[in-house]
């Protein structure tokens, strides 16, 4: 079930397959660990039909593969899995909790929980939240905090647990004060604005007035329409030119915090002197109450009491009365009535907030805008800042955390069955997110100059740092290490390449092979790499440590058998070829990685690999090599091009797609040869065709082979493993042509196999693009002209070729006649396989590395490898880029901003350095007007990326005290129309008596440097243009911001958002006047902060993901109920691994909501979608394209629940965000405006409704072509509103347009055409009746007998029906070929499931199967 809007998988931050999985057409990942090894998985489709969405994040595929590679214990089989899960979600039970001073209450717990989790619940509950230092006791026995409930004797249903107050220690007292501080600040958003403690913003509750779940009951139902105020703010109306910034963060009334205390801080009398320590004093606090009373409080082992100290005299004796209380809250409530009243009110509000508004996110999300926040006194924050929190980092006793040990130990946890894997993945994820947070804090401390270097004597750019057991280095070329490869540019690119390597090896997850925790942080113009430290590496020289690989780029090389054995296991999934290189003594050394990859055995005996920057092969399009000719496709596009550095690699996604493409080619060649053989022996294969049933049609698609071959034999790894199999077909011509004509076929598209359609297409489907005949697949491939014909012709041979490949793999080939063997040999040669008996393509990453030499005897192989690399580079430009553009044309890829565009490129394996090419390609397309949105987003991305490059070097020359002035000056030069932006050099607020001689540049950005102030707008835009030419080989035709806006139709507000997000700038939220020619737009007061931009590995939850996939497959086949159960299970497992907040959970919730909606459970849909929106806001950002989608879905479900005004508010919010992010001219805006127009029509705001619907009509005509079915539908919607206004002439005109389109596109007999013609008749009658009445009035004046006319307001049901159609929720099979059979099929399925869903549909939502039609085009 996927709405058109779900097709933007691009919008995930580091796209994970889950996001893609939205696209519905992925029955199940072939490799998804369990399924692949069984001929048919329990989802009732043969293993062969199990295909994976073209580019659904390679990470998973690998992880899955690796399960087969390395862990013999994987794959107990699906059914086993589901059993295991049921065991895990063991039934919960209820216990009674008795806390001092409260009534006992019931608490639902599960046997897996730890006692500690009950502690957390109590610390969050309104009536017990002020307690932190207590134990839980059962029958007088204290429970161990870390024990699981199921291991506690005597704990059962109904047991009474007592909360017993325990004596404080200094640590407990600190935790208590910190907790009280958190409770006081619980509604204060400043942590979210400041980007600390994993807080982030969410504004949904502003638009829904609290919790949606209850509002249906609380508010009056939407039937009294009069009370709804439907007028949107001016700036949201179609055609409005203003793009205000302030509404981005609406004021949340809860955020005017209730003041409970004026000040709560540590007293200056700390720590207690020895004699007081012996009286049990732990620490002293000073408090100023709202009533202006200054008090001094002692925290003692027994609790808190007032003492007699004042600011200047120390008197620790208890005051009179002293009110000894175990909790600080109780004490403060006794001495301050205002505290008591406000604290209670605050806690009430806190508990009413949706939990998702307050749970921490796994990784910090930063906001690029913020209001001016008052800076209040806060003891905990102050203390954190100065103790750098190492003292008691996240409750680890004593020492700082040994990150390396934690990261590696979690990897070593057992993973034999589901519970073990869940525990392991949860631990890995938790350590990774903690490590990323610590590394980010450390990197900022390093750049801010707060950490001492370990080599302080060297110049600043060469310094290295250690902080909190993490090693930090700067992204500069130290000691000319990268001199050959491009100096600083290479040193800047290496860390991200290395991170990609770490990610790839981590996903393969080979037991016994370890990588370093790696985080790359860009902050204030510097790139910092943070790595965990290999035990013992600091004591030794690097030369002694390295026992595998090379430390000087291949001049000296060593190898090691254990490393070869471990890396051999990664060779297949990562497509790295084992090869020999010569060392300095000219002897051959065998490697299974690039030469830079170093192997070091740590003091802990673990085998580490590091410097993985060349895990993937070089990109020859950007690596000119003397004497080497690229293939014609590359040369046509002007490659090879000079790049800044020589580390340009192909992406893993590209390698996958390329190998995939070659695999299909291999099958085709084999099939063709078999065909020739068959011509010679007609009789032999006569029996084959009959054996092909409709299902096996998909079987015989080449993609099906990988699983089979994997089953056949692990060791031989015969036919290739295809982690990203997409169903694609190729023309059987020679390679070059077929590369140009790679086509694709997805389940929803293949018309040739209509028989299969009826079984594979779900009866209830929400095929979002409402275009059943368009592949929804997200993978590469240009259309093949031969698709239909060829699939039919080649089937018998393909099947045979596949069997042949399998049997070759299965045994040593003895059973196969020499002719067939020759077939495979020829095919292998043709596609560049490294083996002659099976398909196996791998790359040698050292080809073209300067300084690497190969032995003489491998010359032929090296030649082959060079050719392979040239082919891969050509494949990128001749296949992947066109396929991306094609996907944009048919709207399967719908980028909305820079991030989603980048994502779309990356999924197809296209590096962003090809952006200029992509734009040129779009520019030359005949269909350019239909790609205008892509072109505009691409130009914005190109300009802001160039600006980011310039900003990076600009910032490096700015000293800390001038930072805000420098950033505001830069933004003025970039965006303001003010011609002579002059920098305000900060008038030194503090003039020192004598100019002090500064020590030479103490921090990386030392220097009394004011060069930045001389930047002018024209100079900056010249640099941007030359950067665009130099880096992207793209000619920008603009010399100022205004020209860019004029020429390319950009928006300044969008440029501001993109540059702020990319560079981490946070600006004050207010209206900026960019276009004033009299004063600059920004002042230094407008720059609030600079945040780091962080890249890290995202560990995955593989089992959960697999359930998610199976759930989707079920839904695909129409088994909604089972699908729903599987997805709920996936949700459980995701929660188990990631905690409550994560992008993948967001995708899960969105799909669940959609299923709930289709099954007719609207309230449940609403509740799940609300969670999805909150999560998307918190984890991705409040104006992320994904969040906009989620808002649209939520609005639909609100409407279905009768909450019309909320639905409108949500749609208006979505439209505002979309205007800000990409402007009005975007195909997605048509969908949004149709939604708004329909809802307004429903509440009888006809004129407003028309403005939106007519805008949607014009956008649809532009992007889908005037003859598309979308335009027909748009015309029909407009006609309906005119009918309601009784303007029949206009209504007729629009409906005629629609009718003509239907007639031409689907023919007279089609239901849609008939419906339209019926409606035309009805409109004509109404128009005639109206005319008669008018004539009657003219003729007879006031005493005319007037026939009453039927002006009907549209019924909610009919509006909802139209809403469902435009949002792609269609209750009907996709294929209209055999409607009757399909209906029977649906009924049969329904009976199978004994769930009267069909009836439900008819009652619930007026969505009857027969009369819905997919709107396809």
């Amino acid at each position: 079930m996927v709405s058109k809007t779900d097709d933007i998988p691009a919008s995930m931050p580091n796209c994970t397959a889950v996001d893609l999985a939205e696209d519905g057409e992925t029955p199940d990942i072939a490799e998804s660990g369990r399924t692949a090894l069984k001929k048919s998985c329990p989802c009732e489709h043969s293993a062969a039909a199990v295909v994976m969405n073209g580019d659904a994040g390679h990470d998973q595929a690998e992880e899955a593969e690796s399960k087969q590679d390395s862990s013999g214990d994987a794959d107990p089989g699906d059914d086993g899995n589901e059993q295991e899960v049921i065991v895990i979600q063991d039934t919960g039970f209820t216990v009674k909790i008795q806390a001092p001073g409260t009534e006992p209450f019931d608490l639902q717990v599960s046997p897996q929980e730890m006692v500690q989790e009950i502690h957390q619940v109590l610390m969050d509950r309104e009536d017990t939240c002020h307690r932190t230092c207590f134990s839980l006791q059962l029958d007088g026995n204290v429970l161990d905090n870390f024990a699981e409930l199921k291991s506690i004797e005597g704990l059962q249903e109904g047991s009474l647990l007592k909360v017993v107050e325990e004596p404080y220690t200094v640590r407990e007292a600190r935790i208590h004060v910190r907790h009280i501080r958190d409770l006081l600040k619980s509604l204060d958003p400043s942590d979210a604005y400041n980007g600390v403690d994993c807080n982030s913003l969410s504004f949904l509750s502003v638009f829904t007035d609290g919790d949606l779940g209850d509002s249906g009951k609380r508010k009056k139902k939407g039937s009294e329409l009069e009370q709804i105020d439907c007028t949107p703010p001016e700036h949201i109306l179609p055609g409005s030119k203003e793009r205000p910034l302030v509404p981005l963060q609406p004021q949340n009334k809860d955020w005017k915090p209730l003041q409970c205390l004026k000040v709560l801080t540590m007293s200056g009398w700390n720590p207690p002197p020895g004699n007081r320590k012996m009286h049990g004093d732990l620490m002293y606090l000073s408090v100023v109450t709202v009533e202006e009373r200054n008090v001094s409080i002692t925290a003692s082992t027994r609790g808190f009491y007032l003492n007699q100290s004042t600011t200047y005299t120390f008197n620790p004796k208890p005051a009179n009365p002293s009110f000894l209380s175990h909790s600080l809250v109780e004490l403060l409530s006794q001495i301050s009535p205002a505290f008591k009243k406000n604290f209670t009110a605050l806690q009430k509000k806190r508990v009413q907030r949706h939990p998702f508004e307050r749970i921490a996110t796994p990784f910090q999300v930063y906001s690029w805008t913020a209001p001016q926040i008052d800076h209040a006194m806060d003891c905990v924050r102050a203390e954190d800042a100065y103790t750098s929190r190492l003292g008691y980092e996240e409750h680890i006793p004593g020492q700082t955390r040994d990150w390396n040990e934690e990261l590696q130990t979690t990897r070593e946890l057992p993973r034999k069955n589901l519970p073990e894997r869940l525990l392991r993945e949860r631990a890995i994820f938790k350590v990774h997110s903690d490590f990323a947070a610590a590394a980010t804090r450390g990197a900022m401390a390093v750049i801010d100059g707060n950490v001492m270097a370990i080599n302080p004597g060297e110049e600043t750019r060469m310094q290295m740092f250690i902080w909190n057991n993490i090693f930090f280095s700067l992204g500069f070329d130290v000691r000319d290490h990268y001199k050959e490869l491009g100096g600083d540019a290479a040193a800047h690119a290496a860390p991200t390449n290395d991170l990609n390597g770490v990610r790839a090896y981590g996903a393969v997850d080979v037991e016994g092979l370890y990588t370093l925790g790696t985080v790359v942080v860009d902050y204030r113009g510097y790139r910092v790499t943070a790595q965990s430290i290999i035990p013992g590496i600091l004591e030794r020289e690097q030369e002694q440590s390295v026992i595998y690989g090379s430390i000087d780029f291949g001049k000296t090389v060593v190898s090691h058998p254990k490393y070869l054995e471990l890396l051999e296991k990664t060779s297949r999934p990562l497509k790295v070829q084992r090869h020999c290189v010569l060392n300095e003594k000219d002897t051959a050394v065998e490697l299974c990685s690039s030469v830079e990859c170093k192997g070091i055995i740590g003091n802990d005996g673990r085998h580490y690999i590091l410097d993985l920057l060349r895990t993937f092969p070089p990109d020859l399009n950007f690596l000119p090599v003397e004497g080497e000719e690229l293939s014609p496709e590359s040369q046509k596009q002007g490659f090879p091009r000079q790049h800044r550095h020589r580390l340009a690699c192909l992406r893993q996604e590209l390698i996958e797609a390329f190998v995939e493409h070659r695999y299909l080619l291999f099958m085709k060649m084999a099939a063709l040869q078999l065909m020739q053989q068959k011509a010679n022996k007609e009789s032999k294969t006569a029996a084959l065709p009959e054996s092909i049933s409709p299902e096996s049609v998909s079987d015989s698609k080449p993609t099906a082979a990988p699983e089979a071959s994997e089953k056949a034999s692990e060791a031989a790894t015969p036919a290739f493993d295809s982690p990203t199999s997409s169903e694609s077909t190729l023309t059987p011509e020679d390679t070059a042509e077929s590369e140009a004509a790679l086509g694709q076929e997805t389940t929803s598209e293949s018309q040739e196999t209509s028989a299969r359609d009826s079984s594979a297409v779900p009866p209830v489907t929400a095929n979002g693009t409402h275009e059943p005949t368009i592949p929804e697949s997200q993978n590469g491939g240009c259309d093949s002209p031969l698709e239909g014909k060829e699939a039919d012709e080649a089937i018998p041979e393909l099947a045979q070729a596949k069997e042949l490949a399998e049997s070759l793999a299965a045994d040593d080939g003895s059973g196969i006649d020499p002719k067939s063997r020759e077939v495979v040999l020829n095919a292998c040669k043709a596609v560049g396989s490294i083996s002659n008996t099976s398909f196996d393509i791998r790359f040698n990453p050292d080809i073209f590395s300067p300084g690497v030499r190969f032995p003489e005897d491998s010359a032929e192989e090296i030649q082959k490898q060079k050719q392979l690399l040239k082919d891969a580079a050509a494949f990128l430009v001749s296949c992947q880029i066109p396929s991306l553009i094609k996907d944009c044309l048919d709207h399967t890829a719908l980028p909305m901003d820079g991030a989603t565009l980048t994502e779309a490129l990356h999924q197809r394996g296209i590096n962003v350095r090809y952006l200029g090419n992509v734009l040129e390609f779009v520019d030359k397309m005949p269909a350019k007007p239909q790609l205008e949105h892509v072109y505009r987003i691409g130009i914005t991305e190109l300009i802001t990326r160039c600006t980011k490059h310039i900003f990076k070097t600009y910032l490096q020359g700015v000293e800390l005290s001038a930072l805000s002035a420098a950033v505001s000056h830069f933004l003025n030069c970039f965006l303001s129309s003010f011609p002579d932006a002059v920098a305000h050099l900060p008038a030194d607020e503090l003039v020192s008596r004598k100019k002090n001689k500064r020590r030479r540049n103490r921090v990386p950005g030392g220097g009394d440097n004011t060069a930045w102030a001389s930047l002018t707008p024209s100079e900056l835009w010249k640099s941007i243009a030359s950067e665009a030419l130099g880096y992207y080989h793209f000619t920008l035709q603009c010399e100022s911001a205004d020209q860019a806006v004029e020429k390319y139709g950009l928006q300044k507000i969008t440029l501001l958002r993109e540059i702020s997000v990319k560079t981490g700038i946070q600006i004050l939220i207010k209206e900026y006047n960019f276009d004033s020619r009299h004063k600059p737009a920004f002042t230094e007061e407008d720059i609030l902060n600079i945040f780091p931009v962080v890249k890290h590995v995202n560990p995955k939850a593989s089992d959960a993901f697999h359930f998610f996939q199976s759930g989707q497959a079920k839904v695909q086949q129409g088994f909604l109920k089972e699908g729903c159960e599987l997805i709920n299970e996936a949700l459980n497992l995701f929660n188990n691994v990631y905690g409550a907040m994560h992008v993948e959970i967001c995708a899960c919730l969105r799909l669940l909501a959609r299923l709930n909606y289709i099954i007719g459970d609207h309230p449940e849909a609403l509740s799940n979608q609300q969670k999805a929106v909150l999560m998307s806001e918190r984890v991705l950002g409040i104006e992320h394209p994904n969040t906009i989608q989620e808002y649209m879905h939520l609005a639909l479900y609100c409407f279905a629940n009768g909450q019309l005004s909320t639905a409108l508010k949500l749609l208006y919010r979505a439209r505002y965000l979309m205007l800000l992010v990409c402007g009005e001219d975007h195909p997605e805006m048509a969908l949004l405006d149709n939604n708004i127009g329909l809802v307004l029509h429903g509440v009888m705001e006809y004129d407003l409704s028309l403005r939106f619907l007519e805008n949607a009509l014009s956008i649809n005509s532009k992007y889908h072509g005037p003859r598309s079915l979308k335009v027909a539908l748009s015309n029909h919607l407009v006609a309906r509103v005119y009918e309601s206004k009784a303007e029949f002439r206009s209504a007729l005109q629009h409906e005629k347009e629609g009718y003509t389109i239907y007639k031409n596109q689907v023919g007279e007999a089609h239901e849609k055409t008939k419906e339209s013609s019926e409606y035309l008749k009805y409109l004509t009658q109404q128009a005639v009746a109206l005319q008669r009445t008018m004539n009657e009035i003219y003729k007879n004046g006031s005493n005319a007998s007037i026939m009453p006319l039927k002006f009907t307001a549209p019924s909610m049901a009919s509006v909802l029906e139209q809403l469902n159609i435009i949002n792609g929720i269609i209750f009907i099979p996709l294929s209209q070929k055999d409607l009757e059979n399909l209906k029977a099929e649906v009924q049969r399925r329904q009976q199978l499931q004994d769930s009267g869903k069909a009836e439900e549909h008819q009652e619930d939502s007026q969505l009857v199967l027969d009369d819905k039609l997919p709107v396809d085009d």
Side-chain angles (χ1 to χ4, degrees), residues 97-106 121-131 163 183 327 329-330 343-344 347-348 350-351:
I97 307 261
Q98 164 81 63
T102 58
E103 291 294 305
F105 57 87
D106 289 340
V121 172
L122 294 177
M123 283 164 63
D124 200 55
R125 267 183 69 100
E126 194 180 341
D127 49 0
T128 53
C129 64
H130 54 279
R131 301 183 181 283
V163 174
L183 290 176
S327 139
V329 171
E330 289 169 356
F343 186 78
T344 319
Q347 293 326 307
K348 275 215 166 40
R350 179 181 66 88
V351 190

Side-chain angles (χ1 to χ4, degrees), residues 1025-1093:
S1026 71
E1027 179 73 10
L1029 194 58
Y1031 194 88
Y1032 294 107
H1033 303 270
F1034 186 82
T1035 315
L1036 272 180
Q1037 294 154 339
C1038 52
E1039 292 163 19
S1040 70
D1042 294 339
Q1043 283 180 16
V1045 168
E1046 191 62 33
K1047 170 104 179 69
Y1048 298 111
L1050 313 179
Q1051 302 187 129
K1052 284 188 176 179
I1053 191 88
T1054 305
L1055 287 167
L1056 176 63
R1057 170 180 177 260
E1058 292 283 356
I1059 190 71
S1060 303
V1061 170
K1062 284 183 179 52
T1063 54
I1065 301 171
Q1066 187 185 50
I1067 58 166
L1068 180 65
I1069 188 158
K1070 66 170 204 187
E1071 299 314 343
Y1072 291 97
N1073 184 0
F1074 298 112
D1075 301 331
S1076 157
R1077 305 197 64 74
H1078 307 297
K1079 67 176 206 293
F1082 299 90
T1083 68
E1084 54 183 292
E1085 298 304 308
D1086 297 331
I1087 309 300
L1088 298 182
N1089 211 336
I1090 284 200
F1091 290 126
V1093 176

Side-chain angles (χ1 to χ4, degrees), residues 118-256:
I118 302 187
H119 273 254
Q120 293 300 327
V121 172
L122 294 177
M123 283 164 63
D124 200 55
R125 267 183 69 100
E126 194 180 341
D127 49 0
T128 53
C129 64
H130 54 279
R131 301 183 181 283
T132 59
C133 184
F134 58 86
S135 63
L136 291 167
Q137 300 189 358
L138 175 64
D139 308 329
N141 298 326
V142 177
L143 304 187
D144 168 18
N145 255 346
F146 295 100
E148 290 196 344
L149 298 185
K150 60 172 181 256
S151 65
I152 295 168
E153 272 182 53
L155 185 63
Q156 60 202 36
E157 179 71 37
S159 295
L160 179 71
L161 293 180
K162 284 206 164 125
V163 174
V164 178
E165 298 175 345
E166 292 290 333
Y168 282 100
T169 59
V170 174
R171 181 170 175 276
E172 284 291 349
R174 285 185 166 195
I175 287 176
H176 186 75
V177 173
R178 175 181 287 264
H179 179 65
I180 300 306
R181 186 283 303 238
D182 289 343
L183 290 176
L184 293 176
K185 282 184 57 175
S186 54
L187 293 181
D188 176 13
S190 55
D191 279 354
Y193 288 123
N194 294 328
V196 292
D197 290 344
C198 288
N199 284 314
S200 57
L201 297 166
S202 160
F203 291 100
L204 177 64
S205 54
V206 179
F207 301 97
T208 55
D209 299 328
D211 200 339
L212 281 172
D214 333 328
S215 49
K217 308 180 196 79
R218 272 211 313 268
K219 292 184 189 157
K220 296 193 176 66
K221 271 281 196 261
S223 43
E224 301 97 78
L225 298 177
E226 305 75 70
Q227 302 136 18
I228 299 181
D229 177 23
C230 305
T231 25
E234 274 299 309
H235 58 260
I236 291 179
L237 287 172
S240 161
K241 285 283 165 274
E242 59 168 325
R243 298 281 181 268
L245 186 57
V246 174
L248 178 60
Q249 297 187 355
Q251 277 307 297
N252 190 333
K253 49 185 185 303
D254 284 351
W255 286 354
K256 287 283 158 275

Side-chain angles (χ1 to χ4, degrees), residues 66-67 70-71 73-74 411-418 420-421 424 508-512:
S66 67
K67 284 223 173 88
S70 56
S71 48
D73 52 70
R411 284 249 172 234
E412 289 166 349
L413 290 170
R415 40 173 151 177
K416 288 195 176 51
N417 52 29
L418 187 65
E420 286 184 352
R421 281 196 300 274
R424 175 175 184 265
V508 177
D509 209 1
V510 168
E511 241 172 279

Side-chain angles (χ1 to χ4, degrees), residues 763-764 1118-1125 1158-1160 1385-1403 1409:
V764 178
F1119 296 111
L1120 293 192
K1121 199 146 165 272
E1122 283 94 325
C1124 224
E1125 280 162 16
I1158 286 169
I1159 293 170
E1385 171 77 4
V1386 173
Q1387 277 148 11
R1388 192 173 63 73
R1389 285 226 172 112
Q1390 297 292 359
Q1391 283 152 10
L1392 274 180
Q1393 295 183 326
D1394 297 322
S1395 60
K1397 263 183 234 151
E1399 292 86 81
E1400 244 170 74
H1401 275 295
Q1402 288 162 359
E1403 298 151 20
L1409 279 169

Side-chain angles (χ1 to χ4, degrees), residues 739-800:
E739 269 188 350
L742 164 65
Q744 61 200 95
E745 249 183 8
T746 55
T747 29
S748 56
E749 183 192 32
S750 36
Q751 256 116 18
E752 327 73 279
T753 53
S754 59
R756 188 175 107 225
D757 264 16
S758 59
S759 62
V761 175
V764 178
T765 168
N767 173 343
T769 3
H770 356 296
E771 301 168 357
T773 48
I774 278 184
E776 282 230 335
S777 94
Q778 295 266 344
N779 67 321
C782 333
D783 251 347
S784 147
L786 290 164
E787 261 168 71
K789 204 168 68 219
E790 165 201 329
D792 284 342
E793 285 169 11
I795 278 168
E797 285 70 40
L798 272 179
Q800 198 181 338

Side-chain angles (χ1 to χ4, degrees), residues 762-1054:
V764 178
T765 168
N767 173 343
T769 3
H770 356 296
E771 301 168 357
T773 48
I774 278 184
E776 282 230 335
S777 94
Q778 295 266 344
N779 67 321
C782 333
D783 251 347
S784 147
L786 290 164
E787 261 168 71
K789 204 168 68 219
E790 165 201 329
D792 284 342
E793 285 169 11
I795 278 168
E797 285 70 40
L798 272 179
Q800 198 181 338
K802 194 183 104 208
E803 275 163 33
L804 177 59
E806 279 170 40
S807 48
L808 264 179
D811 47 43
D812 48 3
S814 49
I816 295 171
D817 63 294
K819 281 211 172 113
S820 311
R821 188 168 282 182
E822 183 194 359
V823 165
V824 173
L825 177 69
N826 293 339
C828 282
K829 278 207 179 121
V831 297
S833 164
I834 60 170
S835 143
N836 284 335
T837 55
S838 66
F839 176 87
D840 191 357
I841 285 189
R842 304 186 193 187
F843 292 88
N844 175 343
D846 285 330
I847 304 271
F848 298 127
S849 290
V852 176
R853 299 169 308 140
F854 298 101
E856 291 297 311
D857 55 6
S858 57
E860 185 193 345
E861 192 164 279
I862 298 303
Q863 220 26 64
K864 258 194 187 169
Q865 280 291 338
K866 287 183 174 176
Q867 192 48 50
L868 205 53
L869 283 178
K870 291 174 188 173
D871 293 349
F875 172 72
L876 197 158
V877 283
S878 65
C879 239
Q880 294 304 78
I881 292 181
S883 99
L884 167 74
I885 304 304
K886 177 180 155 295
D887 285 349
C888 289
L889 257 180
D890 58 28
H891 304 291
T892 43
L894 252 186
M896 260 201 225
D897 68 345
T900 43
L901 175 67
T902 308
E903 196 90 19
L905 289 165
H906 284 173
Q907 267 156 26
R908 292 162 184 77
I910 306 166
N911 310 69
V912 178
R913 58 175 170 270
Y914 286 94
L915 186 57
N917 273 68
V918 173
L919 288 172
E920 274 164 25
F921 193 93
V922 172
D923 210 12
K924 296 195 187 96
M925 293 276 291
K928 187 185 171 197
Q930 293 183 23
L931 288 166
E932 218 167 276
H933 61 296
V934 180
Y935 192 70
R936 199 173 43 248
I937 293 167
I939 293 281
T940 306
E941 184 67 353
L942 189 129
I943 289 177
T944 45
R945 276 179 183 264
C946 293
T947 313
K948 178 183 76 172
H949 297 168
I950 297 161
F951 184 64
K952 190 182 75 206
T953 30
Y954 171 87
L955 267 193
Q956 288 175 9
V958 178
E959 60 167 11
L960 197 48
S961 60
L963 212 49
S964 53
V967 173
S968 61
H969 176 59
F970 186 89
L971 288 178
N972 281 329
C973 293
F974 180 42
L975 291 172
S976 186
S977 306
F978 182 56
D980 28 317
V982 182
H984 297 286
L985 279 175
D988 217 343
E989 296 163 23
L990 314 160
V991 185
S992 62
R993 290 281 169 79
K994 53 181 189 297
K995 278 277 171 256
N996 48 358
K997 292 273 182 292
R998 304 234 166 142
R999 273 182 42 219
R1000 69 186 170 86
N1001 43 8
R1002 286 170 319 210
V1003 287
D1008 228 350
N1009 213 328
T1010 52
W1012 57 267
S1014 56
L1015 184 74
T1016 65
S1018 61
E1019 196 184 309
L1020 174 62
W1021 278 90
K1022 274 200 191 73
S1023 315
I1024 291 175
S1026 71
E1027 179 73 10
L1029 194 58
Y1031 194 88
Y1032 294 107
H1033 303 270
F1034 186 82
T1035 315
L1036 272 180
Q1037 294 154 339
C1038 52
E1039 292 163 19
S1040 70
D1042 294 339
Q1043 283 180 16
V1045 168
E1046 191 62 33
K1047 170 104 179 69
Y1048 298 111
L1050 313 179
Q1051 302 187 129
K1052 284 188 176 179
I1053 191 88
T1054 305

